[in-house]
Amino acid sequence: RHLTDRHRTYRVKPDVRLDRAESVAAFLLRQGNAFAAVKTLERAGRVWRETTYDEAAKWLLERFRKDGGLLEPARHLVVTSTNREARRLNKQIQRDRKERGLLGIAAVRLPDGTWARSGDRVVFTRSSFRLGVKTGHAGTVVSVNPILKTATVRRDRGGQVTVSLARFPHLALGYASSVPRASELAPARIYALT
């Protein structure tokens, strides 16, 4: 519904092929039977359920690591229901990457109280015509200057931009994102935690 409201029309590209489980699930969703659709995807190994939210988050992070999310975070994204949960998962993923030596040493403090280092994934939380970024655009930090409080970001859409966090405090870690922030991102693999 959101796509049709936003873009007026929505068509599936002809080259998109659904497997049997996806086709059955799509049919069940069109019939209004979301429970049966989820059960179909669960039987096909596309959806996993855990008893508690914390168990589900733990399993999701294990799957993220196993699938290469720590090594190639630009190709992987965790999507959550809330910004609060996204911040919690961002901190955990960042900690895992830091322990593996995948992040730089120098850091700058982000507006939400977290820290960004070179190698971190970030998302812009507000648009800036001057910087050429829109809300939800993402990139990878290539360098930080803690004295000047700047971060240079290689944007996924091309080019680099140096952001003064004192003048433009609208960056957040971008390994995990809430659904609205994730709408501009296009990773190869998405992990949803709801």
Side-chain angles (χ1 to χ4, degrees):
R1 178 169 165 81
H2 173 69
L3 284 172
T4 56
D5 289 346
R6 191 171 178 190
H7 301 289
R8 302 276 186 242
T9 61
Y10 175 70
R11 277 187 244 137
V12 175
K13 293 180 182 177
D15 61 338
V16 173
R17 302 277 186 242
L18 300 179
D19 69 12
R20 177 152 171 71
E22 292 166 339
S23 296
V24 170
F27 173 79
L28 291 167
L29 282 172
R30 282 193 300 272
Q31 300 301 313
N33 195 344
F35 180 77
V38 169
K39 290 301 265 181
T40 299
L41 292 172
E42 187 176 16
R43 282 192 298 274
R46 300 279 170 55
V47 174
W48 293 268
R49 285 190 296 162
E50 295 293 337
T51 309
T52 68
Y53 193 82
D54 286 339
E55 288 175 9
K58 182 180 175 185
W59 182 91
L60 182 139
L61 288 171
E62 287 172 13
R63 186 67 192 204
F64 182 86
R65 291 180 196 110
K66 180 182 173 188
D67 291 346
L70 294 179
L71 298 175
E72 294 184 287
R75 297 180 44 79
H76 301 262
L77 176 68
V78 177
V79 178
T80 67
S81 303
T82 66
N83 288 332
R84 181 179 178 188
E85 185 60 29
R87 277 191 298 275
R88 185 175 87 121
L89 293 169
N90 274 322
K91 286 179 184 178
Q92 180 61 51
I93 293 169
Q94 184 188 50
R95 189 174 317 127
D96 291 350
R97 286 180 46 81
K98 185 178 176 192
E99 287 171 2
R100 290 185 179 214
L102 299 170
L103 300 178
I105 296 170
V108 290
R109 190 177 184 93
L110 298 176
D112 64 2
T114 59
W115 295 86
R117 294 172 167 75
S118 61
D120 266 328
R121 291 290 294 164
V122 292
V123 64
F124 291 89
T125 59
R126 185 166 294 169
S127 298
S128 169
F129 179 76
R130 186 179 64 76
L131 296 174
V133 298
K134 292 184 179 179
T135 302
H137 283 185
T140 301
V141 177
V142 292
S143 66
V144 297
N145 185 326
I147 295 167
L148 297 177
K149 296 185 173 117
T150 62
T152 301
V153 178
R154 183 179 57 248
R155 297 179 297 195
D156 290 351
R157 296 173 179 255
Q160 287 188 12
V161 62
T162 299
V163 179
S164 166
L165 294 166
R167 294 177 67 201
F168 187 76
H170 306 291
L171 270 182
L173 289 176
Y175 302 108
S177 185
S178 62
V179 174
R181 282 189 183 167
S183 64
E184 288 288 331
L185 306 175
R189 190 168 288 228
I190 296 174
Y191 308 83
L193 181 63
T194 60

